[in-house]
Amino acid sequence: MLKEIGRNDLCWCGSKIKYKKCHESFDEKLLWYKTQGCIIPPRKIIKNQEQIIEIRKSGKINTAVLDFISEQIYIGMTTEQIDHLIYEKTVALGGIPATLNFEGFPKSVCTSINDQVCHGIPSSDVLLKDGDIINIDVSTIYNGFFSD
Ligand SMILES: [Zn+2]
């Protein structure tokens, strides 16, 4: 599966770079892992340099939104307000909140408080109390690339 391409052929990943200068050594590494009994990822989830650059841009927006929201949190705030701020900031930075409408999820962020492990849905009924621990799980789509 991994060796049907010539070293001087263009790489299978779409980079327009010769295979030997692009993914050949990566594929050899995967082949070695396969011989060790490891499950190796399908090529469709392996990204090229251009795609990785876009993923990194998405991640930078995501990190900026996290930094932003961490400065906005206060006692008495609702998780709905957090959701609104996340939406506005993500869009202002050129992204789309990845959770919004993902498999029916109605909000732009997951807000999970105290013993709620994850996937809390922001609500105007949920107010932050002194001592609460909140997990704000931000994820972003930028130019079709996801970060979480
Ligand atoms: Zn490649």
Side-chain angles (χ1 to χ4, degrees):
M1 165 211 158
L2 293 176
K3 280 294 182 186
E4 77 277 5
I5 190 167
R7 297 189 72 227
N8 288 311
D9 292 340
L10 294 180
C11 189
W12 54 262
C13 74
S15 63
K16 299 182 178 128
I17 297 170
K18 287 183 180 179
Y19 179 58
K20 66 184 179 186
K21 297 249 183 206
C22 196
H23 274 98
E24 185 184 42
S25 64
F26 182 85
D27 284 348
E28 286 171 353
K29 198 185 303 177
L30 286 183
L31 208 53
W32 181 83
Y33 278 111
K34 191 174 181 184
T35 66
Q36 303 304 303
C38 297
I39 298 168
I40 61 169
R43 282 183 173 168
K44 70 178 181 181
I45 69 166
I46 298 169
K47 306 305 178 198
N48 65 36
Q49 280 306 308
E50 290 172 1
Q51 293 168 319
I52 291 168
I53 287 167
E54 296 304 302
I55 293 168
R56 189 165 287 130
K57 289 177 188 172
S58 180
K60 283 187 175 179
I61 293 171
N62 202 62
T63 302
V65 172
L66 269 174
D67 288 345
F68 165 77
I69 202 63
S70 67
E71 301 292 322
Q72 305 295 317
I73 301 299
Y74 59 89
I75 296 165
M77 174 181 222
T78 69
T79 52
E80 176 75 27
Q81 289 173 298
I82 294 170
D83 179 71
H84 182 74
L85 289 169
I86 294 285
Y87 177 84
E88 293 296 328
K89 188 66 174 179
T90 304
V91 170
L93 293 173
I96 301 166
T99 59
L100 188 58
N101 299 319
F102 178 77
E103 294 189 359
F105 194 83
K107 300 293 180 177
S108 296
V109 66
C110 296
T111 52
S112 307
I113 297 176
N114 298 326
D115 59 352
Q116 185 173 28
V117 175
C118 63
H119 301 158
I121 301 172
S123 166
S124 57
D125 296 332
V126 178
L127 277 78
L128 297 182
K129 299 186 300 293
D130 193 13
D132 277 345
I133 297 170
I134 183 167
N135 171 34
I136 300 175
D137 190 3
V138 176
S139 51
T140 300
I141 305 168
Y142 173 76
N143 195 20
F145 292 90
F146 285 68
S147 56
D148 190 346

